[in-house]
Amino acid sequence: MTGSCPEAAAPAEFLVMAKPAGPRCNLACVYCYYLGKAGLFPPGTLARMSDELLESYLRQRLETSPGPVTAFEWHGGEPTLLGLDFFRRIVALQKTHCPPGRAVHNGMQTNGTLLDPEWARFLADEQFSVGLSLDGPAEAHDPFRTTRDGRATHVEVVRAFHLLRRYGVHCDVLCVLHAGNVGQPLPVYRWFRELGVTHLQFLPLAGSAAAGDPDAVGRFLNAVFDEWIRHDLGRIAIQTFDEAFRTACGLPHALCTFRATCGDVLVLEHDGGVYACDHFVDPDHRLGRLGETPLAQLAAAPDQARFGRRKRDGLPSRCRACDVLAYCNGGCPKDRTAQEPWESQGSMCSARPIAASSTMPGPCWPASPSTGQRDGPCGSSGNRYDPEGWALEREAGPRYYFLSCVNKPRATRHPVGSRRSR
């Protein structure tokens, strides 16, 4: 990709995953797809975004954001390695450059091991949302998520979860589905429920020796769905199921993985390099450098638009003919098999989560308390999904099945984990 492009308006909405500490991390997770990115940068240098670049990014992000709320996403590597003062400076600069009437929202993805009460108090005071990586009970988590010297991290991450909860910080727990937990769907899910998790993401691992069998991923999601729909609808939000329901309700997907096209979530590295996607941080997908090219031009680059369209345009005929294509749209290109990821089926296709109303009789849907109808998760209006608005008839045994395609995964070109696993 080229770093230059003609003057153009940025997409109406786009996000930036900023990595102020680059790929630097205090852990060495077995399945991490990002640690190897250190090879893109000069050896022996400490990955840390400069104050000048940080301020330029914050200012341009606020200038190019069209809505009433500008979202900032802080990723890594491990962003907390930069210390609390670095993030205090972020907030101060945001307040300096924020236009009147505009609100700012910050999200941080972390492994949680460096969080302490001072961090938690700051995150609460500044209303950060936190994504916390936790793969279930200790026996599922610790073999895969260790420090660089091999120490287990489960105790520290659970402590971080309780700390965030105590200070009232919104916390999404991200659980990578791998060989160590995919065979235990109900014990893993019930452990999260007992812990007090209210927002949960299951992120299937693909293309790694640590990955579980795709069919096992499908069975995991089916088993968890049956447990969740009976006991936890409206109490625990699970991103995978929410995305499936959005399609059933005629709503657009919120997650780029499931949308027909992508390309509106850029990556900003600590040195100013801007890339097409978190899973395509490589020289071929480098759009340019912030400081040499304005953020709006980088987001609107023709190469980036082509990148986003290739997800849809490169779908194989098998996917195009699939009855449930709208639920996944082929998944993330990072998971597609063979040598050319744009023109092959996803390695996780046999586990793709699909909520299919056609597989069940109408009475098996939960009943709307206002209408008594059971014609789908959105009721007769068909225009919104409100988990708290449904009265579940447990004896009816609702069954939303997760269908599967039949292809088997082959070797994949890219070392992949999950979009936000750390």
Side-chain angles (χ1 to χ4, degrees):
M1 288 192 174
T2 176
S4 62
C5 63
E7 288 289 338
E13 293 185 26
F14 68 96
L15 294 175
V16 179
M17 295 174 65
K19 299 173 179 281
R24 190 156 55 102
C25 189
N26 59 326
L27 303 192
C29 298
V30 170
Y31 49 68
C32 183
Y33 63 91
Y34 212 78
L35 282 176
K37 303 301 180 184
L40 295 173
F41 310 105
T45 59
L46 184 66
R48 181 186 179 91
M49 186 175 289
S50 69
D51 289 346
E52 294 77 16
L53 177 61
L54 176 65
E55 183 165 11
S56 176
Y57 163 60
L58 294 172
R59 178 179 51 77
Q60 292 189 55
R61 180 78 181 105
L62 287 163
E63 290 173 352
T64 58
S65 176
V69 180
T70 299
F72 290 89
E73 300 293 333
W74 306 100
H75 282 244
E78 177 50 47
T80 60
L81 283 171
L82 296 176
L84 189 49
D85 284 345
F86 185 91
F87 282 86
R88 288 189 175 119
R89 176 166 173 75
I90 286 174
V91 171
L93 288 170
Q94 287 171 338
K95 292 175 180 177
T96 296
H97 293 290
C98 190
R102 179 79 58 81
V104 167
H105 179 266
N106 287 288
M108 176 192 289
Q109 174 63 30
T110 179
N111 60 46
T113 59
L114 301 179
L115 297 182
D116 59 19
E118 190 177 9
W119 263 108
R121 189 176 302 110
F122 166 80
L123 295 169
D125 289 346
E126 302 301 338
Q127 299 184 325
F128 273 60
S129 294
V130 172
L132 183 67
S133 296
L134 177 59
D135 288 354
E139 61 270 20
H141 176 100
D142 280 338
F144 295 84
R145 301 188 62 82
T146 65
T147 62
R148 288 182 172 273
D149 58 2
R151 290 186 297 104
T153 61
H154 189 264
V155 170
E156 294 171 273
V157 182
V158 170
R159 173 195 55 78
F161 173 80
H162 288 304
L163 187 64
L164 293 170
R165 190 179 183 192
R166 185 163 70 247
Y167 279 83
V169 179
H170 177 87
C171 181
D172 269 281
V173 170
L174 282 65
C175 173
V176 175
L177 297 182
H178 49 60
N181 58 17
V182 74
Q184 302 291 324
L186 294 185
V188 168
Y189 175 68
R190 289 168 180 169
W191 183 86
F192 281 123
R193 182 171 60 198
E194 184 68 22
L195 185 65
V197 173
T198 57
H199 292 78
L200 183 58
Q201 299 179 33
F202 291 118
L203 306 173
L205 180 64
S208 165
D213 178 75
D215 291 336
V217 173
R219 291 191 295 271
F220 182 102
L221 293 172
N222 270 326
V224 170
F225 187 92
D226 283 346
E227 177 82 0
W228 171 81
I229 199 72
R230 288 184 171 88
H231 302 289
D232 301 313
L233 183 66
R235 296 194 305 128
I236 299 176
I238 300 180
Q239 185 186 58
T240 305
F241 304 155
D242 179 69
E243 286 294 325
F245 277 136
R246 293 179 72 88
T247 296
C249 295
L251 300 173
H253 283 296
L255 191 63
C256 61
T257 300
F258 297 117
R259 294 202 298 265
T261 60
C262 57
D264 57 356
V265 185
L266 309 180
V267 166
L268 172 65
E269 257 293 347
H270 71 286
D271 65 344
V274 177
Y275 297 85
C277 168
D278 190 33
H279 285 281
F280 290 86
V281 176
D282 56 53
D284 290 341
H285 295 92
R286 189 178 187 273
L287 297 169
R289 184 179 182 278
L290 192 66
E292 297 173 356
T293 308
L295 181 61
Q297 288 190 29
L298 293 168
D303 281 343
Q304 183 66 1
R306 282 190 290 271
F307 173 87
R309 291 193 301 269
R310 287 183 76 187
K311 179 186 178 183
R312 176 197 62 206
D313 297 345
L315 279 175
S317 58
R318 188 173 188 173
C319 284
R320 294 177 186 273
C322 180
D323 290 340
V324 290
L325 175 62
Y327 286 90
C328 72
N329 288 297
C332 182
K334 72 179 175 62
D335 293 334
R336 295 187 187 175
T337 54
Q339 291 302 305
E340 177 48 66
W342 301 101
E343 299 174 357
S344 57
Q345 220 169 348
S347 62
M348 294 306 297
C349 193
S350 64
R352 195 72 64 200
I354 307 297
S357 59
S358 61
T359 65
M360 70 202 79
C364 287
W365 292 96
S368 164
S370 58
T371 67
Q373 297 182 7
R374 299 186 180 91
D375 55 345
C378 307
S380 57
S381 64
N383 61 6
R384 71 188 184 96
Y385 165 51
D386 179 7
E388 297 183 3
W390 290 96
L392 178 64
E393 294 188 348
R394 300 179 193 277
E395 64 275 14
R399 303 289 296 179
Y400 304 77
Y401 285 101
F402 291 82
L403 305 184
S404 37
C405 301
V406 294
N407 78 302
K408 297 298 180 184
R410 300 181 294 280
T412 183
R413 176 183 178 187
H414 299 283
V416 296
S418 52
R419 179 174 175 263
R420 298 180 66 189
S421 61
R422 293 287 172 267

